[in-house]
Amino acid sequence: MVTGFCHRAAVSACSLCVAGLLALTPAAAAAGPRAGEPAPPRPPATTPGPSLLYRSGVQVRPHRGTPAPPEVSALSWLVADSGSGEVLAANDAHRELPPASTLKTLFALTVLPGLPGGQQHTVRYEELADVGEGSSLVGVEEGHTYQVADLWRGVFLSSGNDAVHVLARLNGGWEHTARRMQDKARSLGALDTHVVSPDGYDAPGQVSSAYDLAVFGRAGLHNPDFARYCATAEALFPGDGSSYPIENTNRLLTGEDGVAPYPGLIGIKNGYTSNAGNTLVAAARRGGRTLVVTVLNPQDGGGLTVYEEARALLDWGFAAAGQVDPVGSLDGLRPPSRTPVSAKPVAAAVAPDDEGSDWSGTAVVAGLTGLGAGAVALALRAKGGRSARD
């Protein structure tokens, strides 16, 4: 329409304009740029509205020649660029599913800023009385005094629901924390999440989605404490008389149980319940780019399938980055008054930028007072692995 209008105006105005327009005819355009002239730039990709991510099935917009995402069995998954927030591909991104302990990402986002890591607290009986049966535990004991930082390591490494209960009490109580988590989710544009139990323990009506959990994971990487805790592979936890080693239950980080550690992995959080199945939010950095992937409840294989499907999606994401147009944005549902997440996560310092690195994620070892990292690893192997599973 615009070209036709200009042509008519030019005909009535001056023959010079007509000559200029003749040079822009479809035939001339099809011939391409003249010799020595650069090719016209590719139009910038536009990020579609959130509706595309609400569609069922795999959503991806590949350029010609770009391989399709791998076929995985998870009920829902998503791959996004942490820096830009662009979603590279997803499958049923907004499907509401029980999150298990991946909900601890939202718990940490909500509670971490208000509790100094050096603060000390003596645990009372009532703080542990309501820990759900069968919960993963780090070994918090009544009457023992802990630093808040110790409790956070118990949350991130051992997925300790006992540590979550104590921290929630310090934050104002269980119900208060659940309400604050709900408010935090809404402020981030995570509209699928309904919080009932802040530790992720199965509860009627408690759900999240691959989209929301990626939002939480991405936001967490911009918090220095969150980023450090989620990347910690091994630590010491205070016990009765002496500390004992704990290890992160994220096998992509530690390489335990026959799962090869993923190069450049940063974290973030894994989970499991009989209702939720295996769930995982992970992030990795390669070639200056950080990707976030969410995998919820794989239907094939055993309990380790979630890691291999996350590995396949991360590999595809790094290979396809720049070769697909985004299908959505992790900022797409954020209230307009909220500032989008900044482009550079602090967690970029946790993993190296070069693809050739042999980074396994196990370089981050915390709480080694009086005991070296090698001794921690030996003690973990002697103990048979981790103190709690998730």
Side-chain angles (χ1 to χ4, degrees):
M1 295 294 292
V2 174
T3 302
F5 171 80
C6 291
H7 182 72
R8 290 193 298 272
V11 168
S12 61
C14 70
S15 59
L16 289 176
C17 291
V18 172
L21 282 168
L22 289 175
L24 295 178
T25 59
R34 296 175 181 174
E37 292 183 356
R42 178 185 177 91
T46 57
T47 301
S51 60
L52 192 59
L53 288 177
Y54 278 99
R55 296 179 185 177
S56 61
V58 176
Q59 303 300 319
V60 62
R61 302 168 69 199
H63 299 175
R64 181 174 298 179
T66 303
E71 293 187 9
V72 297
S73 67
L75 294 181
S76 177
W77 57 263
L78 180 145
V79 182
D81 186 294
S82 179
S84 66
E86 292 180 345
V87 179
L88 307 185
N91 177 58
D92 289 350
H94 287 286
R95 181 173 178 175
E96 295 181 354
L97 294 167
S101 284
T102 54
L103 193 65
K104 288 181 172 76
T105 56
L106 177 59
F107 174 75
L109 281 175
T110 305
V111 178
L112 255 174
L115 295 178
Q119 178 179 335
Q120 296 199 352
H121 175 70
T122 302
V123 175
R124 303 188 302 273
Y125 167 80
E126 58 269 22
E127 294 171 337
L128 301 174
D130 296 329
V131 176
E133 182 179 355
S135 287
S136 52
L137 306 171
V138 67
V140 177
E141 297 179 356
E142 173 193 356
H144 196 103
T145 300
Y146 300 89
Q147 283 195 343
V148 164
D150 292 324
L151 297 173
W152 281 118
R153 283 188 282 270
V155 171
F156 277 92
L157 276 68
S158 296
S159 205
N161 288 1
D162 46 357
V164 172
H165 274 255
V166 174
L167 289 166
R169 285 295 187 107
L170 290 174
N171 184 61
W174 198 246
E175 299 299 329
H176 172 73
T177 298
R179 289 192 298 270
R180 285 195 58 207
M181 289 171 65
Q182 193 70 68
D183 291 342
K184 182 67 173 179
R186 296 297 178 266
S187 75
L188 293 170
L191 308 182
D192 305 320
T193 300
H194 179 60
V195 180
V196 179
S197 184
D199 54 6
Y201 191 80
D202 284 339
Q206 178 154 280
V207 292
S208 189
S209 68
Y211 179 90
D212 285 14
L213 291 167
V215 168
F216 303 151
R218 179 194 182 211
L221 296 182
H222 292 76
N223 179 304
D225 292 326
F226 186 112
R228 184 176 67 256
Y229 290 132
C230 82
T232 300
E234 302 167 353
L236 293 176
F237 193 80
D240 187 11
S242 63
S243 297
Y244 55 89
I246 59 175
E247 186 178 55
N248 203 307
T249 58
N250 184 346
R251 279 69 159 180
L252 280 183
L253 183 64
T254 63
E256 288 291 336
D257 299 327
V259 177
Y262 191 83
L265 195 84
I266 298 171
I268 297 171
K269 190 72 190 75
N270 59 311
Y272 172 80
T273 68
S274 56
N275 186 38
N278 288 279
T279 60
L280 176 67
V281 185
R285 185 167 178 81
R286 183 184 299 174
R289 184 187 302 274
T290 301
L291 296 183
V292 177
V293 62
T294 310
V295 180
L296 298 181
N297 200 352
Q299 300 297 289
D300 294 341
L304 303 180
T305 301
V306 69
Y307 300 108
E308 299 309 327
E309 295 194 352
R311 182 193 309 278
L313 290 169
L314 283 169
D315 284 346
W316 173 84
F318 284 118
Q323 304 300 315
V324 296
D325 292 333
V327 294
S329 170
L330 297 182
D331 291 318
L333 298 175
R334 187 185 296 268
S337 60
R338 302 285 179 175
T339 303
V341 174
S342 60
K344 188 172 181 61
V346 296
V350 175
D353 289 344
D354 55 303
E355 287 186 54
S357 170
D358 61 356
W359 163 269
S360 66
T362 56
V364 183
V365 182
L368 301 184
T369 304
L371 189 61
V376 170
L378 289 172
L380 283 165
R381 286 194 286 271
K383 192 174 179 181
R386 52 191 60 82
S387 60
R389 291 181 179 268
D390 190 320

